[in-house]
Amino acid sequence: MPVTSEAAATWTGSLTEGSGNVSFSSSHLGTFPLDWKARSEGSETTTTPEELIAAAHSSCFSMALSHALAGNGTPPERVDTTASVTFKPGTGITGSHLNVNAIVPGIDAETFQRIAEEAKAGCPVSQALAGIEITLEATLA
């Protein structure tokens, strides 16, 4: 049975002078601010669409990798993933870099790398991002 997730955004004003916010149907954390300056120059206080994509990509990949490792008979104790999504004004989103560090008892580095690459390819968010370059750096802790 399909599950539909929702987020809503409100924007007022022009692209460069305006601002907005985004909220998630599942969250009681309120709204998160958006603006062009944060998107084009970076910010530690204002979110961007790319940060939201990074959150989706890192969480989806972590789940896909955990599932694949368990299927290999080597379930992880912990999987920490950071996704870095790059936005170039005038071009768009150009890539997502996954950096994963995992604690996986009973697995060798070569097998871990193979499973991580397979999880990257099989992750539904990776598949949705098929139009951009996705890179992976995977290490065992």
Side-chain angles (χ1 to χ4, degrees):
M1 170 175 247
V3 174
T4 301
S5 299
E6 292 184 350
T10 300
W11 188 268
T12 56
S14 69
L15 173 63
T16 57
E17 302 295 321
S19 64
N21 60 60
V22 62
S23 61
F24 308 95
S25 63
S26 66
S27 176
H28 301 288
L29 299 176
T31 61
F32 298 88
L34 302 164
D35 65 36
W36 175 253
K37 183 176 181 180
R39 190 172 192 192
S40 61
E41 297 175 19
S43 171
E44 294 192 12
T45 60
T46 303
T47 195
T48 64
E50 293 71 33
E51 184 177 40
L52 300 172
I53 291 170
H57 203 189
S58 64
S59 57
C60 182
F61 173 79
S62 290
M63 288 188 269
L65 180 58
S66 179
H67 180 67
L69 289 166
N72 184 61
T74 52
E77 286 181 15
R78 183 179 175 114
V79 173
D80 293 311
T81 305
T82 300
S84 303
V85 174
T86 302
F87 173 76
K88 182 177 178 184
T91 301
I93 297 170
T94 59
S96 182
H97 178 71
L98 296 166
N99 189 335
V100 62
N101 189 319
I103 300 170
V104 188
I107 196 167
D108 62 82
E110 184 178 320
T111 303
F112 176 71
Q113 290 295 323
R114 178 184 53 78
I115 291 172
E117 286 291 340
E118 290 169 0
K120 179 187 85 167
C123 163
V125 172
S126 290
Q127 292 173 358
L129 297 174
I132 64 170
E133 180 182 20
I134 299 172
T135 55
L136 173 66
E137 204 173 322
T139 55
L140 284 169

